[in-house]
Amino acid sequence: MINVIHNDECLVMKRSPEPLRKTANILDKLGFLQSGLLKSKNIQDIVQQPKSDLVYGYFNTANPIDN
């Protein structure tokens, strides 16, 4: 949310937010941040559309095993 919310009050009290913002964006581009930084503050831009052709697995049966 470092790129989306521009209320830097808590960061400015201790240090400038720009080095943190730059570092966070570099780490995001390199793939170190999972699931990545938000690119928008609008939920419609963030939400993923469900994939209708996606098939989830299922169990035909469940059988107990002896230990």
Side-chain angles (χ1 to χ4, degrees):
M1 296 184 75
I2 196 165
N3 292 325
V4 178
I5 299 176
H6 298 288
N7 182 2
D8 299 325
E9 184 178 317
C10 64
L11 293 173
V12 174
M13 288 181 183
K14 300 292 182 186
R15 57 184 59 185
S16 171
E18 272 316 300
L20 175 62
R21 191 172 283 125
K22 287 180 183 178
T23 302
N25 282 297
I26 290 170
L27 291 172
D28 186 40
K29 287 179 184 175
L30 292 173
F32 285 102
L33 302 179
Q34 295 297 326
S35 64
L37 296 176
L38 293 177
K39 307 290 190 255
S40 173
K41 63 181 177 180
N42 298 322
I43 193 68
Q44 294 85 0
D45 298 337
I46 299 168
V47 69
Q48 295 180 353
Q49 297 299 322
K51 299 176 183 172
S52 60
D53 60 340
L54 188 61
V55 177
Y56 294 97
Y58 62 90
F59 292 103
N60 287 331
T61 61
N63 299 317
I65 57 172
D66 296 327
N67 288 333

